[in-house]
Amino acid sequence: MMKQKIVAGNWKMNHSLSSAEELLHHLDRIVEESKKVNTFVFPPTLYALSAAKILNHKTVDWGVQNIHYEEFGAYTGEVNAEMVSSCNGTAVIIGHSERREHFSVTSSSCNLKIRAAHKCELVAFYCCGEPLEVRENNNHVEYVLQQLEEGLDGIDPNHNLVIAYEPVWAIGTGRTAENSQIEEMHSQISYFLQQKWGEMGKQIPVLYGGSCKPQNAKEIFNIPNVDGGLIGGASLKADDFIEIIKAANESS
Ligand code: PGA
């Protein structure tokens, strides 16, 4: 069975409320482009209610860029999965490399976050990817599989799960990974998922992220075992993001 392509926009810490709302209005009208594509946006949490209000056509889902794994309590500055789902959010990014680098997130805390997301029926976008020095030492496959091993330990594959492979050195740098590098890692990840969960593992989408843009999206989406993209910079402008969704719609 063919998996549906996924294109997800990670806005990170960008946009004012008015420019965020303008972008959401644009995206709400992309019915034609997104027929065969599951589209998600991840605005800053503060704009979640705008997303809930504006994204009426159900062609675009929204989520947040991080959650805490606890249910409720004294965790200043945090939001939990239940809060996201009570605002009609459907997804969460977990373990983005920027959170691993700046906010002490580890694969084992990601494991707790994925469990919390699944408890509230959110789609967990679990990110993995190696830093440059790991790639240069040729340890990238072991490194990424270890992130998957720890992050996915004991997770039920029946729940909504998406993997995003994002080589750290390709994020926000304009330096996209080469097709052969993407192909190698995606085939390793797909094999890992299949070994772990059999048929269920085969159904889990694996996205590529890292300097994906309108000019290279179609080529990337046609690489074997690439089921779409997690897009940072190019998701901030409606025209670029819509071009990428079209590329996913047209790719095999
Ligand atoms: P980028 O970011 O597309 O700007 O490289 C991707 C990401 O961090 O998810």
Side-chain angles (χ1 to χ4, degrees), residues 87-153:
C87 296
N88 295 326
T90 58
V92 55
I93 298 176
I94 292 175
H96 189 280
S97 64
E98 287 150 18
R99 295 217 59 91
R100 291 180 190 259
E101 184 182 344
H102 304 298
F103 302 95
S104 316
V105 166
T106 61
S107 296
S108 52
S109 65
C110 288
N111 184 268
L112 298 174
K113 288 170 190 256
I114 296 171
R115 288 166 192 260
H118 283 170
K119 220 168 163 187
C120 292
E121 317 259 310
L122 300 181
V123 184
F125 283 66
Y126 179 51
C127 300
C128 57
E130 79 287 355
L132 186 59
E133 59 276 17
V134 173
R135 164 72 59 175
E136 284 173 347
N137 288 332
N138 209 24
N139 287 329
H140 49 285
V141 172
E142 292 81 351
Y143 186 94
V144 166
L145 296 186
Q146 183 63 26
Q147 288 179 324
L148 295 181
E149 191 79 63
E150 284 176 34
L152 300 179
D153 184 43

Short mmCIF file of all heavy atoms in Angstrom, two decimals, residues 87-153:
data_model
loop_
_atom_site.label_atom_id
_atom_site.label_comp_id
_atom_site.label_asym_id
_atom_site.label_seq_id
_atom_site.Cartn_x
_atom_site.Cartn_y
_atom_site.Cartn_z
N CYS A 87 -7.16 22.26 22.36
CA CYS A 87 -7.28 23.39 21.41
C CYS A 87 -7.45 22.88 19.98
O CYS A 87 -7.31 23.64 19.02
CB CYS A 87 -6.04 24.27 21.47
SG CYS A 87 -5.79 25.09 23.04
N ASN A 88 -7.68 21.58 19.82
CA ASN A 88 -7.83 20.94 18.52
C ASN A 88 -6.54 20.80 17.73
O ASN A 88 -6.58 20.58 16.51
CB ASN A 88 -8.90 21.61 17.64
CG ASN A 88 -10.27 21.47 18.25
OD1 ASN A 88 -10.56 20.44 18.88
ND2 ASN A 88 -11.10 22.48 18.11
N GLY A 89 -5.41 20.91 18.37
CA GLY A 89 -4.15 20.58 17.71
C GLY A 89 -4.06 19.08 17.57
O GLY A 89 -4.63 18.32 18.38
N THR A 90 -3.36 18.61 16.53
CA THR A 90 -3.33 17.17 16.28
C THR A 90 -1.93 16.57 16.31
O THR A 90 -1.78 15.37 16.11
CB THR A 90 -3.95 16.84 14.90
OG1 THR A 90 -3.21 17.55 13.91
CG2 THR A 90 -5.41 17.23 14.84
N ALA A 91 -0.90 17.42 16.49
CA ALA A 91 0.45 16.87 16.33
C ALA A 91 1.46 17.62 17.18
O ALA A 91 1.19 18.73 17.66
CB ALA A 91 0.85 16.97 14.85
N VAL A 92 2.63 17.01 17.33
CA VAL A 92 3.72 17.66 18.06
C VAL A 92 5.07 17.18 17.50
O VAL A 92 5.22 16.01 17.15
CB VAL A 92 3.61 17.38 19.59
CG1 VAL A 92 3.56 15.90 19.91
CG2 VAL A 92 4.76 18.03 20.35
N ILE A 93 6.00 18.13 17.38
CA ILE A 93 7.38 17.77 17.01
C ILE A 93 8.11 17.38 18.30
O ILE A 93 8.04 18.11 19.30
CB ILE A 93 8.11 18.95 16.34
CG1 ILE A 93 7.41 19.35 15.05
CG2 ILE A 93 9.57 18.61 16.08
CD1 ILE A 93 8.01 20.59 14.37
N ILE A 94 8.80 16.27 18.26
CA ILE A 94 9.51 15.80 19.46
C ILE A 94 10.98 15.55 19.12
O ILE A 94 11.29 14.87 18.13
CB ILE A 94 8.84 14.53 20.03
CG1 ILE A 94 7.45 14.92 20.58
CG2 ILE A 94 9.70 13.87 21.11
CD1 ILE A 94 6.61 13.80 21.06
N GLY A 95 11.87 16.14 19.92
CA GLY A 95 13.30 15.86 19.76
C GLY A 95 13.96 16.56 18.58
O GLY A 95 14.95 16.06 18.04
N HIS A 96 13.43 17.73 18.19
CA HIS A 96 14.12 18.50 17.15
C HIS A 96 15.55 18.78 17.61
O HIS A 96 15.78 19.01 18.79
CB HIS A 96 13.37 19.80 16.87
CG HIS A 96 13.91 20.51 15.66
ND1 HIS A 96 15.04 21.26 15.72
CD2 HIS A 96 13.48 20.54 14.38
CE1 HIS A 96 15.30 21.74 14.50
NE2 HIS A 96 14.36 21.31 13.67
N SER A 97 16.49 18.79 16.69
CA SER A 97 17.91 18.94 17.09
C SER A 97 18.16 20.25 17.83
O SER A 97 19.05 20.32 18.67
CB SER A 97 18.83 18.83 15.89
OG SER A 97 18.59 19.89 15.01
N GLU A 98 17.37 21.29 17.53
CA GLU A 98 17.56 22.56 18.26
C GLU A 98 17.14 22.41 19.72
O GLU A 98 17.73 23.02 20.61
CB GLU A 98 16.79 23.68 17.56
CG GLU A 98 17.47 24.08 16.26
CD GLU A 98 16.55 24.59 15.18
OE1 GLU A 98 15.41 24.98 15.48
OE2 GLU A 98 16.98 24.59 14.01
N ARG A 99 16.17 21.58 19.99
CA ARG A 99 15.78 21.34 21.39
C ARG A 99 16.78 20.40 22.06
O ARG A 99 17.08 20.55 23.24
CB ARG A 99 14.36 20.77 21.45
CG ARG A 99 13.33 21.79 20.95
CD ARG A 99 12.04 21.76 21.71
NE ARG A 99 12.17 22.02 23.12
CZ ARG A 99 12.09 23.23 23.70
NH1 ARG A 99 11.90 24.31 22.97
NH2 ARG A 99 12.19 23.35 25.00
N ARG A 100 17.31 19.46 21.29
CA ARG A 100 18.33 18.58 21.88
C ARG A 100 19.55 19.42 22.24
O ARG A 100 20.17 19.24 23.28
CB ARG A 100 18.73 17.48 20.88
CG ARG A 100 17.63 16.44 20.63
CD ARG A 100 18.14 15.41 19.63
NE ARG A 100 17.09 14.51 19.16
CZ ARG A 100 16.91 13.26 19.60
NH1 ARG A 100 17.68 12.77 20.53
NH2 ARG A 100 15.95 12.51 19.09
N GLU A 101 19.90 20.41 21.36
CA GLU A 101 21.12 21.18 21.57
C GLU A 101 20.97 22.24 22.66
O GLU A 101 21.83 22.39 23.51
CB GLU A 101 21.52 21.84 20.25
CG GLU A 101 22.83 22.58 20.37
CD GLU A 101 23.23 23.29 19.07
OE1 GLU A 101 22.68 22.97 18.01
OE2 GLU A 101 24.10 24.17 19.16
N HIS A 102 19.85 22.98 22.65
CA HIS A 102 19.74 24.13 23.55
C HIS A 102 18.90 23.88 24.80
O HIS A 102 18.89 24.70 25.71
CB HIS A 102 19.10 25.33 22.81
CG HIS A 102 19.84 25.73 21.57
ND1 HIS A 102 21.15 26.17 21.60
CD2 HIS A 102 19.47 25.74 20.27
CE1 HIS A 102 21.53 26.45 20.36
NE2 HIS A 102 20.54 26.19 19.54
N PHE A 103 18.11 22.81 24.83
CA PHE A 103 17.17 22.64 25.95
C PHE A 103 17.30 21.26 26.60
O PHE A 103 16.34 20.75 27.17
CB PHE A 103 15.73 22.88 25.48
CG PHE A 103 15.54 24.25 24.90
CD1 PHE A 103 15.62 24.46 23.52
CD2 PHE A 103 15.32 25.35 25.72
CE1 PHE A 103 15.46 25.72 22.98
CE2 PHE A 103 15.16 26.63 25.17
CZ PHE A 103 15.25 26.82 23.80
N SER A 104 18.47 20.67 26.49
CA SER A 104 18.80 19.41 27.17
C SER A 104 17.82 18.27 26.89
O SER A 104 17.64 17.40 27.75
CB SER A 104 18.85 19.61 28.69
OG SER A 104 19.54 20.77 29.02
N VAL A 105 17.19 18.28 25.75
CA VAL A 105 16.30 17.16 25.43
C VAL A 105 17.15 15.96 25.01
O VAL A 105 18.12 16.11 24.26
CB VAL A 105 15.32 17.59 24.30
CG1 VAL A 105 14.61 16.39 23.69
CG2 VAL A 105 14.31 18.59 24.84
N THR A 106 16.81 14.79 25.52
CA THR A 106 17.55 13.57 25.16
C THR A 106 16.58 12.57 24.53
O THR A 106 15.35 12.74 24.64
CB THR A 106 18.13 12.90 26.43
OG1 THR A 106 17.01 12.56 27.27
CG2 THR A 106 19.06 13.83 27.19
N SER A 107 17.12 11.52 23.96
CA SER A 107 16.23 10.52 23.36
C SER A 107 15.34 9.89 24.42
O SER A 107 14.20 9.52 24.14
CB SER A 107 17.04 9.45 22.63
OG SER A 107 17.72 10.04 21.55
N SER A 108 15.85 9.77 25.67
CA SER A 108 14.98 9.13 26.68
C SER A 108 13.88 10.09 27.15
O SER A 108 12.76 9.65 27.39
CB SER A 108 15.77 8.53 27.84
OG SER A 108 16.63 9.46 28.37
N SER A 109 14.15 11.41 27.19
CA SER A 109 13.01 12.30 27.51
C SER A 109 12.05 12.35 26.32
O SER A 109 10.84 12.51 26.48
CB SER A 109 13.47 13.69 27.97
OG SER A 109 14.14 14.39 26.97
N CYS A 110 12.58 12.20 25.11
CA CYS A 110 11.69 12.14 23.93
C CYS A 110 10.74 10.95 24.04
O CYS A 110 9.57 11.03 23.65
CB CYS A 110 12.50 11.99 22.64
SG CYS A 110 13.36 13.49 22.19
N ASN A 111 11.27 9.84 24.56
CA ASN A 111 10.44 8.65 24.72
C ASN A 111 9.22 8.96 25.58
O ASN A 111 8.07 8.60 25.25
CB ASN A 111 11.28 7.53 25.32
CG ASN A 111 10.53 6.23 25.42
OD1 ASN A 111 9.92 5.94 26.43
ND2 ASN A 111 10.53 5.46 24.35
N LEU A 112 9.44 9.71 26.68
CA LEU A 112 8.32 10.08 27.56
C LEU A 112 7.37 11.04 26.85
O LEU A 112 6.14 10.98 27.03
CB LEU A 112 8.87 10.73 28.84
CG LEU A 112 9.76 9.85 29.70
CD1 LEU A 112 10.36 10.64 30.86
CD2 LEU A 112 8.98 8.64 30.24
N LYS A 113 7.93 11.93 26.05
CA LYS A 113 7.09 12.89 25.31
C LYS A 113 6.23 12.16 24.26
O LYS A 113 5.06 12.50 24.06
CB LYS A 113 7.97 13.95 24.62
CG LYS A 113 8.60 14.96 25.59
CD LYS A 113 9.64 15.81 24.85
CE LYS A 113 10.47 16.64 25.82
NZ LYS A 113 10.10 18.06 25.84
N ILE A 114 6.81 11.17 23.59
CA ILE A 114 6.03 10.42 22.59
C ILE A 114 4.87 9.70 23.28
O ILE A 114 3.73 9.71 22.82
CB ILE A 114 6.92 9.42 21.80
CG1 ILE A 114 7.98 10.16 21.00
CG2 ILE A 114 6.07 8.55 20.87
CD1 ILE A 114 9.04 9.26 20.36
N ARG A 115 5.17 9.09 24.44
CA ARG A 115 4.11 8.40 25.19
C ARG A 115 3.00 9.38 25.58
O ARG A 115 1.80 9.08 25.46
CB ARG A 115 4.67 7.75 26.46
CG ARG A 115 5.52 6.55 26.17
CD ARG A 115 6.34 6.14 27.39
NE ARG A 115 7.34 5.17 27.00
CZ ARG A 115 7.23 3.85 27.19
NH1 ARG A 115 6.19 3.36 27.81
NH2 ARG A 115 8.18 3.04 26.77
N ALA A 116 3.40 10.59 26.04
CA ALA A 116 2.41 11.60 26.45
C ALA A 116 1.58 12.04 25.24
O ALA A 116 0.36 12.19 25.33
CB ALA A 116 3.12 12.79 27.08
N ALA A 117 2.24 12.21 24.10
CA ALA A 117 1.52 12.63 22.88
C ALA A 117 0.50 11.57 22.49
O ALA A 117 -0.66 11.86 22.19
CB ALA A 117 2.53 12.84 21.75
N HIS A 118 0.93 10.31 22.53
CA HIS A 118 0.04 9.23 22.11
C HIS A 118 -1.15 9.06 23.05
O HIS A 118 -2.26 8.72 22.60
CB HIS A 118 0.83 7.92 21.99
CG HIS A 118 1.64 7.87 20.73
ND1 HIS A 118 2.59 6.92 20.48
CD2 HIS A 118 1.65 8.69 19.64
CE1 HIS A 118 3.14 7.13 19.28
NE2 HIS A 118 2.59 8.21 18.77
N LYS A 119 -0.93 9.32 24.31
CA LYS A 119 -2.03 9.24 25.28
C LYS A 119 -3.15 10.20 24.91
O LYS A 119 -4.33 9.94 25.16
CB LYS A 119 -1.48 9.61 26.67
CG LYS A 119 -2.01 8.77 27.77
CD LYS A 119 -1.20 9.01 29.04
CE LYS A 119 -1.99 8.50 30.22
NZ LYS A 119 -1.34 8.85 31.47
N CYS A 120 -2.79 11.31 24.28
CA CYS A 120 -3.79 12.31 23.87
C CYS A 120 -4.06 12.26 22.37
O CYS A 120 -4.58 13.20 21.79
CB CYS A 120 -3.31 13.71 24.27
SG CYS A 120 -3.27 13.93 26.04
N GLU A 121 -3.66 11.15 21.73
CA GLU A 121 -3.93 10.92 20.32
C GLU A 121 -3.28 11.94 19.39
O GLU A 121 -3.81 12.23 18.31
CB GLU A 121 -5.46 10.91 20.04
CG GLU A 121 -6.27 10.15 21.04
CD GLU A 121 -6.67 8.78 20.54
OE1 GLU A 121 -7.18 8.70 19.43
OE2 GLU A 121 -6.43 7.79 21.27
N LEU A 122 -2.19 12.54 19.80
CA LEU A 122 -1.47 13.46 18.91
C LEU A 122 -0.52 12.66 18.03
O LEU A 122 0.03 11.65 18.46
CB LEU A 122 -0.65 14.48 19.71
CG LEU A 122 -1.40 15.40 20.68
CD1 LEU A 122 -0.41 16.35 21.37
CD2 LEU A 122 -2.50 16.18 19.98
N VAL A 123 -0.31 13.15 16.79
CA VAL A 123 0.71 12.55 15.93
C VAL A 123 2.08 13.03 16.42
O VAL A 123 2.32 14.24 16.51
CB VAL A 123 0.54 12.97 14.45
CG1 VAL A 123 1.57 12.26 13.57
CG2 VAL A 123 -0.87 12.73 13.96
N ALA A 124 2.96 12.09 16.76
CA ALA A 124 4.29 12.46 17.25
C ALA A 124 5.26 12.45 16.07
O ALA A 124 5.46 11.42 15.43
CB ALA A 124 4.74 11.48 18.31
N PHE A 125 5.85 13.61 15.76
CA PHE A 125 6.90 13.71 14.73
C PHE A 125 8.23 13.61 15.47
O PHE A 125 8.70 14.59 16.04
CB PHE A 125 6.83 15.06 14.00
CG PHE A 125 5.74 15.17 12.98
CD1 PHE A 125 4.40 15.15 13.35
CD2 PHE A 125 6.05 15.32 11.64
CE1 PHE A 125 3.39 15.26 12.39
CE2 PHE A 125 5.05 15.43 10.68
CZ PHE A 125 3.72 15.40 11.05
N TYR A 126 8.80 12.41 15.49
CA TYR A 126 10.04 12.21 16.24
C TYR A 126 11.26 12.48 15.33
O TYR A 126 11.42 11.84 14.29
CB TYR A 126 10.09 10.78 16.79
CG TYR A 126 11.36 10.48 17.57
CD1 TYR A 126 11.78 11.34 18.58
CD2 TYR A 126 12.13 9.36 17.28
CE1 TYR A 126 12.95 11.08 19.29
CE2 TYR A 126 13.29 9.10 17.99
CZ TYR A 126 13.69 9.97 19.00
OH TYR A 126 14.85 9.72 19.69
N CYS A 127 12.08 13.45 15.75
CA CYS A 127 13.23 13.86 14.92
C CYS A 127 14.52 13.15 15.33
O CYS A 127 14.79 12.97 16.52
CB CYS A 127 13.48 15.36 15.06
SG CYS A 127 12.08 16.36 14.57
N CYS A 128 15.28 12.81 14.33
CA CYS A 128 16.61 12.23 14.57
C CYS A 128 17.56 12.86 13.55
O CYS A 128 17.12 13.48 12.58
CB CYS A 128 16.56 10.71 14.41
SG CYS A 128 15.93 10.17 12.80
N GLY A 129 18.84 12.71 13.78
CA GLY A 129 19.81 13.26 12.82
C GLY A 129 21.15 13.49 13.49
O GLY A 129 21.21 13.78 14.68
N GLU A 130 22.21 13.36 12.70
CA GLU A 130 23.57 13.41 13.26
C GLU A 130 24.21 14.78 13.07
O GLU A 130 24.01 15.43 12.06
CB GLU A 130 24.44 12.33 12.61
CG GLU A 130 24.98 12.66 11.24
CD GLU A 130 23.95 12.62 10.12
OE1 GLU A 130 22.80 12.25 10.36
OE2 GLU A 130 24.31 12.99 8.98
N PRO A 131 25.04 15.22 14.06
CA PRO A 131 25.83 16.42 13.87
C PRO A 131 26.95 16.17 12.84
O PRO A 131 27.27 15.02 12.54
CB PRO A 131 26.44 16.70 15.25
CG PRO A 131 25.85 15.71 16.18
CD PRO A 131 25.23 14.62 15.37
N LEU A 132 27.58 17.25 12.40
CA LEU A 132 28.60 17.15 11.35
C LEU A 132 29.77 16.24 11.73
O LEU A 132 30.20 15.41 10.93
CB LEU A 132 29.12 18.56 11.00
CG LEU A 132 30.08 18.62 9.81
CD1 LEU A 132 29.45 18.07 8.54
CD2 LEU A 132 30.52 20.08 9.58
N GLU A 133 30.26 16.38 12.99
CA GLU A 133 31.46 15.59 13.33
C GLU A 133 31.15 14.09 13.32
O GLU A 133 32.02 13.27 12.99
CB GLU A 133 32.10 16.05 14.66
CG GLU A 133 31.24 15.99 15.90
CD GLU A 133 30.33 17.20 16.11
OE1 GLU A 133 30.09 17.97 15.13
OE2 GLU A 133 29.81 17.37 17.23
N VAL A 134 29.90 13.74 13.65
CA VAL A 134 29.52 12.31 13.62
C VAL A 134 29.52 11.83 12.17
O VAL A 134 30.04 10.74 11.85
CB VAL A 134 28.14 12.11 14.29
CG1 VAL A 134 27.66 10.68 14.11
CG2 VAL A 134 28.21 12.47 15.77
N ARG A 135 28.99 12.65 11.28
CA ARG A 135 29.00 12.30 9.86
C ARG A 135 30.44 12.16 9.35
O ARG A 135 30.77 11.21 8.64
CB ARG A 135 28.21 13.38 9.11
CG ARG A 135 28.35 13.48 7.63
CD ARG A 135 27.71 12.37 6.81
NE ARG A 135 26.28 12.19 6.95
CZ ARG A 135 25.59 11.32 6.21
NH1 ARG A 135 26.18 10.58 5.29
NH2 ARG A 135 24.29 11.16 6.41
N GLU A 136 31.28 13.11 9.76
CA GLU A 136 32.67 13.08 9.27
C GLU A 136 33.44 11.85 9.79
O GLU A 136 34.33 11.36 9.13
CB GLU A 136 33.40 14.37 9.65
CG GLU A 136 32.95 15.50 8.74
CD GLU A 136 33.49 16.87 9.16
OE1 GLU A 136 34.00 17.00 10.29
OE2 GLU A 136 33.35 17.81 8.37
N ASN A 137 33.03 11.38 10.96
CA ASN A 137 33.67 10.16 11.50
C ASN A 137 32.99 8.89 11.00
O ASN A 137 33.27 7.79 11.48
CB ASN A 137 33.63 10.16 13.03
CG ASN A 137 34.59 11.18 13.59
OD1 ASN A 137 35.59 11.49 12.96
ND2 ASN A 137 34.28 11.73 14.76
N ASN A 138 32.04 9.08 10.10
CA ASN A 138 31.34 7.94 9.49
C ASN A 138 30.55 7.09 10.50
O ASN A 138 30.39 5.89 10.32
CB ASN A 138 32.37 7.07 8.73
CG ASN A 138 31.73 6.36 7.58
OD1 ASN A 138 30.70 6.82 7.07
ND2 ASN A 138 32.28 5.23 7.18
N ASN A 139 30.06 7.76 11.56
CA ASN A 139 29.25 7.04 12.55
C ASN A 139 27.77 7.41 12.48
O ASN A 139 27.02 7.20 13.42
CB ASN A 139 29.74 7.38 13.97
CG ASN A 139 31.06 6.71 14.28
OD1 ASN A 139 31.32 5.63 13.76
ND2 ASN A 139 31.88 7.36 15.08
N HIS A 140 27.39 8.04 11.36
CA HIS A 140 26.03 8.61 11.28
C HIS A 140 24.92 7.57 11.40
O HIS A 140 23.92 7.80 12.06
CB HIS A 140 25.87 9.45 10.01
CG HIS A 140 26.33 8.76 8.76
ND1 HIS A 140 27.66 8.60 8.46
CD2 HIS A 140 25.64 8.18 7.76
CE1 HIS A 140 27.77 7.96 7.31
NE2 HIS A 140 26.55 7.69 6.86
N VAL A 141 25.12 6.40 10.80
CA VAL A 141 24.03 5.40 10.83
C VAL A 141 23.83 4.91 12.27
O VAL A 141 22.70 4.91 12.79
CB VAL A 141 24.32 4.23 9.86
CG1 VAL A 141 23.28 3.13 10.05
CG2 VAL A 141 24.30 4.71 8.42
N GLU A 142 24.92 4.53 12.93
CA GLU A 142 24.82 4.05 14.33
C GLU A 142 24.18 5.12 15.21
O GLU A 142 23.34 4.83 16.05
CB GLU A 142 26.20 3.72 14.92
CG GLU A 142 26.90 2.54 14.32
CD GLU A 142 27.60 2.87 13.00
OE1 GLU A 142 27.41 3.98 12.46
OE2 GLU A 142 28.31 1.99 12.48
N TYR A 143 24.60 6.36 15.02
CA TYR A 143 24.12 7.47 15.85
C TYR A 143 22.60 7.63 15.72
O TYR A 143 21.88 7.70 16.72
CB TYR A 143 24.84 8.76 15.40
CG TYR A 143 24.58 9.97 16.25
CD1 TYR A 143 25.43 10.32 17.30
CD2 TYR A 143 23.47 10.79 16.01
CE1 TYR A 143 25.19 11.44 18.07
CE2 TYR A 143 23.23 11.92 16.78
CZ TYR A 143 24.10 12.24 17.81
OH TYR A 143 23.86 13.35 18.58
N VAL A 144 22.13 7.63 14.49
CA VAL A 144 20.69 7.85 14.25
C VAL A 144 19.89 6.63 14.73
O VAL A 144 18.83 6.79 15.37
CB VAL A 144 20.44 8.16 12.75
CG1 VAL A 144 18.96 8.04 12.39
CG2 VAL A 144 20.95 9.56 12.42
N LEU A 145 20.40 5.43 14.48
CA LEU A 145 19.66 4.24 14.93
C LEU A 145 19.59 4.17 16.45
O LEU A 145 18.59 3.71 17.02
CB LEU A 145 20.26 2.95 14.33
CG LEU A 145 20.17 2.84 12.81
CD1 LEU A 145 20.66 1.48 12.34
CD2 LEU A 145 18.76 3.11 12.27
N GLN A 146 20.62 4.68 17.10
CA GLN A 146 20.61 4.73 18.57
C GLN A 146 19.52 5.72 19.06
O GLN A 146 18.79 5.44 20.02
CB GLN A 146 22.00 5.16 19.07
CG GLN A 146 22.17 5.21 20.58
CD GLN A 146 22.01 3.84 21.22
OE1 GLN A 146 22.23 2.80 20.60
NE2 GLN A 146 21.60 3.83 22.48
N GLN A 147 19.41 6.85 18.37
CA GLN A 147 18.34 7.81 18.73
C GLN A 147 16.97 7.14 18.57
O GLN A 147 16.06 7.35 19.38
CB GLN A 147 18.41 9.05 17.83
CG GLN A 147 19.58 9.97 18.13
CD GLN A 147 19.61 11.17 17.19
OE1 GLN A 147 19.26 11.06 16.01
NE2 GLN A 147 20.02 12.31 17.71
N LEU A 148 16.82 6.34 17.52
CA LEU A 148 15.54 5.67 17.29
C LEU A 148 15.31 4.58 18.36
O LEU A 148 14.21 4.47 18.91
CB LEU A 148 15.49 5.04 15.90
CG LEU A 148 15.53 6.02 14.71
CD1 LEU A 148 15.46 5.25 13.39
CD2 LEU A 148 14.37 7.01 14.78
N GLU A 149 16.36 3.82 18.61
CA GLU A 149 16.26 2.75 19.61
C GLU A 149 15.76 3.30 20.95
O GLU A 149 14.80 2.79 21.54
CB GLU A 149 17.67 2.15 19.78
CG GLU A 149 17.75 0.87 20.55
CD GLU A 149 17.35 -0.32 19.69
OE1 GLU A 149 18.02 -0.60 18.69
OE2 GLU A 149 16.34 -0.93 20.06
N GLU A 150 16.40 4.36 21.42
CA GLU A 150 16.04 4.92 22.74
C GLU A 150 14.70 5.65 22.69
O GLU A 150 13.86 5.49 23.57
CB GLU A 150 17.11 5.92 23.19
CG GLU A 150 18.36 5.27 23.70
CD GLU A 150 19.43 6.30 24.05
OE1 GLU A 150 19.10 7.41 24.52
OE2 GLU A 150 20.61 5.98 23.83
N GLY A 151 14.50 6.46 21.68
CA GLY A 151 13.28 7.27 21.61
C GLY A 151 12.03 6.43 21.43
O GLY A 151 10.95 6.77 21.91
N LEU A 152 12.17 5.30 20.72
CA LEU A 152 10.98 4.51 20.37
C LEU A 152 10.79 3.28 21.26
O LEU A 152 9.88 2.48 21.04
CB LEU A 152 11.06 4.07 18.90
CG LEU A 152 11.15 5.21 17.88
CD1 LEU A 152 11.27 4.67 16.47
CD2 LEU A 152 9.94 6.15 17.99
N ASP A 153 11.63 3.16 22.28
CA ASP A 153 11.55 1.98 23.15
C ASP A 153 10.16 1.84 23.79
O ASP A 153 9.69 2.76 24.47
CB ASP A 153 12.64 2.10 24.23
CG ASP A 153 12.69 0.86 25.09
OD1 ASP A 153 12.60 -0.24 24.54
OD2 ASP A 153 12.79 1.01 26.33
#
